[in-house]
Amino acid sequence: MTTLGYALLGILARGPLSGYDLARNLQLPVGYFWQANHSHIYPELARLEEAGLVGHEVVRQEHRPNKKMYSITDAGREALRQWVSTPGEAAVPRDELLLKVFSLWLIERHQAITLMRAQEQRYLEQLAHFETIQANLAAEFGAALHNPDSPAFCAFATSQCGLLRARSQLDWCRWLLKQLGWNETP
Amino acid sequence: MTTLGYALLGILARGPLSGYDLARNLQLPVGYFWQANHSHIYPELARLEEAGLVGHEVVRQEHRPNKKMYSITDAGREALRQWVSTPGEAAVPRDELLLKVFSLWLIERHQAITLMRAQEQRYLEQLAHFETIQANLAAEFGAALHNPDSPAFCAFATSQCGLLRARSQLDWCRWLLKQLGWNETP
DNA sequence: TCCTACATGTAAGGTGTTACATGATTCC
DNA sequence: GGAATCATGTAACACCTTACATGTAGGA
């Protein structure tokens, strides 16, 4: 089983969806920690179905194309549970920005500052985004959000991770910008 | 040009190295934000050389195999500068752990706690690692570490990012563990 | 004797992205 | 008329990992 497969199972465990809907989920809500294109999702769904982890039924629609609604099977839920409860290896975080910062000494000071300011802006947007997500979750689920056995809490927990991360990255950006400013020749 | 290519140029900009040494750099020091295997590096070095961005000379050694020492060319340094100074797209952080947390509601409370405790331990190790790296850099470079035009400062800046990240992840882990504990039935 | 470090490569397979391909409906 | 949304797929390519392949020297 691939990780994408588990990502799909994780979304389908919350309710039946079409491949198209799954693709949208993997662009934004879940997309902040795992992305995928539809061209990857459709074949993967076929593989999951062959393995008996999901099933689908065709829903006829008027005024728009028919769609296949996929649902997770008992076997699928069990496979997902198994995967979630096993620790797994430490992931390698690939960060292009850090690669650039590693070579920042090569470029002009003002270019470096421009680069980091753009990044600062990006993290600010991320932060705002996660705050919006959390506000929406709070409005929709209320007290249920504090129950760790609910899907809503789990969505909140992942967004909380993103929020804290964005904050720490923002701190780092500003620290770096300060360093870049100190030795400046006016 | 691939990102791996720029990663190699970024290391070679600090001094000539063999493919083997580059592979080691991309396992640990740089490896905390970009990893690569030797099987990927050797062909990439050949491509960089074909493009005139690096060159090599064979160094004969006794008691051990000959090696090819690669150095960055002027064209390579310029290409690297170009790449570093352009902002680039926002990266998609793929995080398997967050995918698991997203489905945490499916598993038993004690399993979830075990999972997060293991993760907490992992982040603690990361934190210690970055602190060691920074201590080593401080011991080796001293005051030069504060000069943003030095390669040493850039190495420090990347480790600083890793350190802050590890800290925020640790905070998140503990927040989640607290949430998992609150609704516990003893 | 076996394992690790040094040193360089190729081959096969898995994963992920971009582009190709089609077609109805709705909004500007 | 053109763009966006809904809806599903295939094909080609780029990227990355694992395994295969070879050989010396030194330490446990």
Side-chain angles (χ1 to χ4, degrees):
Chain A
M1 273 289 295
T2 67
T3 309
L4 174 60
Y6 291 113
L8 296 175
L9 289 179
I11 302 172
L12 289 176
R14 290 150 182 257
L17 285 176
S18 68
Y20 187 85
D21 293 327
L22 283 165
R24 275 199 319 189
N25 268 269
L26 286 169
Q27 293 295 351
L28 268 199
V30 175
Y32 273 89
F33 48 93
W34 205 272
Q35 277 196 339
N37 308 100
H38 73 272
S39 59
H40 200 181
I41 291 168
Y42 288 118
E44 186 62 35
L45 279 171
R47 252 169 275 148
L48 288 175
E49 186 153 37
E50 210 187 355
L53 305 179
V54 304
H56 83 265
E57 65 179 290
V58 177
V59 177
R60 304 234 168 128
Q61 297 184 115
E62 291 187 24
H63 307 308
R64 50 186 57 186
N66 296 345
K67 60 178 173 179
K68 300 181 180 175
M69 288 296 274
Y70 285 89
S71 341
I72 194 168
T73 62
D74 287 344
R77 205 171 280 110
E78 191 44 44
L80 179 58
R81 250 188 231 118
Q82 199 72 44
W83 178 74
V84 171
S85 50
T86 52
E89 298 298 299
V92 185
R94 273 156 200 274
D95 196 320
E96 217 170 285
L97 176 72
L98 284 185
L99 221 43
K100 288 187 177 173
V101 170
F102 189 68
S103 296
L104 214 60
W105 58 284
L106 280 169
I107 66 171
E108 302 278 336
R109 187 69 60 95
H110 72 269
Q111 289 185 304
I113 291 174
T114 304
L115 188 78
M116 294 313 296
R117 280 223 199 286
Q119 203 60 33
E120 185 190 13
Q121 212 52 41
R122 197 168 279 175
Y123 290 134
L124 273 172
E125 282 160 25
Q126 267 186 34
L127 197 60
H129 182 89
F130 286 118
E131 278 164 357
T132 308
I133 286 180
Q134 294 203 343
N136 290 345
L137 284 171
E140 192 176 354
F141 295 99
L145 214 56
H146 300 298
N147 175 15
D149 292 324
S150 74
F153 169 81
C154 290
F156 184 82
T158 55
S159 76
Q160 180 69 9
C161 182
L163 190 124
L164 292 182
R165 240 184 238 180
R167 241 181 232 164
S168 84
Q169 292 297 97
L170 200 55
D171 288 347
W172 172 72
C173 253
R174 286 169 176 170
W175 169 83
L176 222 185
L177 279 166
K178 203 171 162 189
Q179 302 288 315
L180 291 173
W182 275 352
N183 284 15
E184 216 169 359
T185 40
Chain B
M1 273 287 296
T2 67
T3 309
L4 174 60
Y6 290 113
L8 295 175
L9 288 180
I11 302 173
L12 288 176
R14 291 149 183 257
L17 285 177
S18 68
Y20 187 85
D21 292 328
L22 283 165
R24 274 199 319 188
N25 269 270
L26 285 169
Q27 292 296 349
L28 268 198
V30 175
Y32 272 89
F33 48 92
W34 205 272
Q35 277 197 340
N37 308 101
H38 73 273
S39 59
H40 200 182
I41 292 168
Y42 288 118
E44 187 62 35
L45 279 171
R47 254 170 274 149
L48 288 175
E49 186 153 37
E50 211 188 353
L53 306 178
V54 304
H56 84 266
E57 65 178 290
V58 176
V59 176
R60 303 233 169 129
Q61 296 185 115
E62 291 187 23
H63 306 308
R64 51 185 59 183
N66 296 345
K67 60 178 172 180
K68 300 182 181 175
M69 287 298 273
Y70 284 89
S71 342
I72 194 167
T73 64
D74 288 344
R77 205 171 281 109
E78 192 44 44
L80 179 59
R81 251 188 229 116
Q82 199 73 43
W83 178 74
V84 172
S85 49
T86 52
E89 298 298 299
V92 185
R94 273 155 200 275
D95 196 320
E96 217 170 287
L97 178 72
L98 283 186
L99 220 44
K100 288 186 178 175
V101 170
F102 188 68
S103 297
L104 215 58
W105 57 285
L106 281 168
I107 66 172
E108 302 278 336
R109 187 67 60 93
H110 71 269
Q111 288 185 305
I113 291 174
T114 303
L115 189 76
M116 294 313 296
R117 280 224 197 288
Q119 204 59 33
E120 185 189 15
Q121 212 52 41
R122 197 168 277 174
Y123 291 135
L124 273 172
E125 282 160 26
Q126 268 185 33
L127 197 61
H129 183 89
F130 286 118
E131 278 164 356
T132 308
I133 285 179
Q134 295 203 342
N136 290 344
L137 284 171
E140 192 176 354
F141 296 100
L145 215 57
H146 301 297
N147 175 15
D149 292 323
S150 73
F153 169 81
C154 291
F156 185 82
T158 55
S159 77
Q160 180 69 10
C161 181
L163 190 124
L164 292 182
R165 238 183 240 181
R167 244 181 230 161
S168 85
Q169 292 297 97
L170 201 55
D171 287 348
W172 172 70
C173 252
R174 286 169 176 169
W175 169 84
L176 221 184
L177 280 166
K178 204 171 161 190
Q179 302 289 316
L180 291 173
W182 274 352
N183 284 15
E184 215 169 358
T185 39

